[in-house]
Amino acid sequence: MSAKTVFTPVQSPALLTLGLGAGGVILLGCLLGSILLGAADIAPATVWQAIFQFDGSTEHLIIRTVRLPRAVLAVVVGAALAVAGAITQGLTRNPLAAPDILGINVGAALAMVLAVFWRGSGSYVGFAFGGAAIAAITVYWLGSLGRSGLTPLKLVIAGAALSYLLSSLTTGILILSQRTLDEIRFWLAGSLAGQNMASMLPVLPYIAVGLGAALALGRQLTLMSLGEDVAQGLGLQTVWVKVGSAIAVVLLAGSAVALAGPIGFVGLVVPHVVRFIVGVDYRWILPYSIVFGGILLSVADLAARLVIRPQELPVGIMTAIVGAPFFIYLARSKIRR
């Protein structure tokens, strides 16, 4: 197999570029819808004035301090989770792999809970990175045990077992500390509420670095998704690709959990939808995942706010409603094959 054969696109580059642009327009529409709609609908003219002619009124404050940061957060977190999932699936060649399925998000969440338990509320992004990294290393080690070495099935089983263990530890901490439970209860279910631009800004550079690293590894990830032996035969330094990809996943998953809690299934669903559109080339999968991840989480958050308004549900519940049946479908398909 030659590199030229590997990178032959399913669609023409012009058509893929057009599709990416159309996705960007849809994403912009979701962003605007997230600002306009909520417990109380706000007129588009008011939104325009709040952004460009701010006068300090109640509606302008709601848009500037609540809805606009939340809309941006949905796009950023959705993109981070989707790209992290795409990298994980390409690196492991496992369609069931995603940071939440493999316990990486749960590890980051446990580290955040421990930080709040010890120190009280605050920003603990470093703890999230550490928890995500330790969970990723642990699940890789557990999946590699035995004579057969690392296999996709063993990796998923190890991730599920680790997720249950870490979730149990998290629950135990919350039972012991009512204060910790009160501070992070809504966040732990996956929520975009309560963030503002000031709290988001320290985390955004990590997400930017993670996305940049992922996009730079697009060609290498395409080769890795075909198998390590094939990639090495085409001259790829697989060790460095694994290290760079792991760093990108930890940065993206850890940042997403630090901002919005352990939101599940975005990293599982979006890469499959994207691959159906663009094929196996990660130079296209990753940009499309950024756009479609933002769209999915924006729509899920909007639904979470509207379904029982003026109250709202955690966005993690909405993504689970879509993602859990999809996961069952993938698992059944893999077993049949």
Side-chain angles (χ1 to χ4, degrees), residues 137-209:
I137 293 170
T138 302
V139 75
Y140 187 86
W141 173 70
L142 290 173
S144 301
L145 295 177
R147 295 180 179 179
S148 59
L150 184 68
T151 65
L153 180 60
K154 287 169 62 178
L155 192 66
V156 171
I157 294 174
L162 184 65
S163 295
Y164 280 119
L165 174 61
L166 298 181
S167 296
S168 299
L169 293 175
T170 302
T171 302
I173 295 170
L174 297 178
I175 291 173
L176 291 174
S177 175
Q178 182 66 39
R179 173 188 60 81
T180 305
L181 176 61
D182 292 339
E183 290 182 7
I184 66 170
R185 177 167 32 197
F186 208 69
W187 171 88
L188 202 57
S191 173
L192 303 176
Q195 293 285 357
N196 54 48
M197 295 305 297
S199 61
M200 290 166 52
L201 285 176
V203 186
L204 293 181
Y206 297 107
I207 294 180
V209 171

Side-chain angles (χ1 to χ4, degrees), residues 44-337:
T46 305
V47 173
W48 178 270
Q49 292 169 0
I51 296 175
F52 298 104
Q53 300 174 3
F54 181 71
D55 62 10
S57 64
T58 301
E59 287 188 333
H60 285 200
L61 284 172
I62 290 173
I63 293 168
R64 279 285 192 98
T65 63
V66 178
R67 293 197 179 179
L68 180 59
R70 184 166 181 162
V72 172
L73 183 63
V75 172
V76 170
V77 171
L81 291 173
V83 171
I87 295 173
T88 306
Q89 291 173 12
L91 203 60
T92 61
R93 291 179 291 117
N94 185 352
L96 301 178
D100 50 310
I101 303 297
L102 299 183
I104 298 173
N105 286 2
V106 182
L110 174 59
M112 292 283 289
V113 169
L114 285 171
V116 174
F117 176 72
W118 286 328
R119 300 186 179 184
S121 59
S123 178
Y124 300 113
V125 183
F127 281 82
F129 292 152
I134 292 172
I137 293 170
T138 302
V139 75
Y140 187 86
W141 173 70
L142 290 173
S144 301
L145 295 177
R147 295 180 179 179
S148 59
L150 184 68
T151 65
L153 180 60
K154 287 169 62 178
L155 192 66
V156 171
I157 294 174
L162 184 65
S163 295
Y164 280 119
L165 174 61
L166 298 181
S167 296
S168 299
L169 293 175
T170 302
T171 302
I173 295 170
L174 297 178
I175 291 173
L176 291 174
S177 175
Q178 182 66 39
R179 173 188 60 81
T180 305
L181 176 61
D182 292 339
E183 290 182 7
I184 66 170
R185 177 167 32 197
F186 208 69
W187 171 88
L188 202 57
S191 173
L192 303 176
Q195 293 285 357
N196 54 48
M197 295 305 297
S199 61
M200 290 166 52
L201 285 176
V203 186
L204 293 181
Y206 297 107
I207 294 180
V209 171
L211 292 177
L215 293 174
L217 289 169
R219 181 180 184 278
Q220 292 86 339
L221 284 169
T222 303
L223 297 177
M224 287 292 294
S225 68
L226 301 175
E228 192 165 349
D229 292 338
V230 174
Q232 289 176 342
L234 293 172
L236 188 66
Q237 298 292 327
T238 57
V239 173
W240 292 110
V241 175
K242 290 180 180 179
V243 171
S245 299
I247 291 173
V249 170
V250 168
L251 287 174
L252 294 172
S255 298
V257 171
L259 287 172
I263 297 173
F265 297 107
V266 176
L268 175 70
V269 173
V270 172
H272 284 278
V273 175
V274 167
R275 273 193 291 270
F276 178 77
I277 298 172
V278 307
V280 298
D281 191 344
Y282 272 76
R283 294 176 299 177
W284 290 104
I285 288 174
L286 295 172
Y288 267 79
S289 294
I290 292 174
V291 174
F292 278 67
I295 291 173
L296 175 59
L297 198 57
S298 296
V299 172
D301 182 53
L302 193 56
R305 283 188 280 161
L306 296 179
V307 68
I308 57 171
R309 70 173 179 177
Q311 296 178 311
E312 66 177 72
L313 294 171
V315 69
I317 294 177
M318 304 306 296
T319 58
I321 290 174
V322 175
F326 190 80
F327 178 74
I328 294 171
Y329 164 75
L330 287 176
R332 288 174 59 87
S333 299
K334 189 173 180 61
I335 290 172
R336 284 199 298 267
R337 288 197 298 269

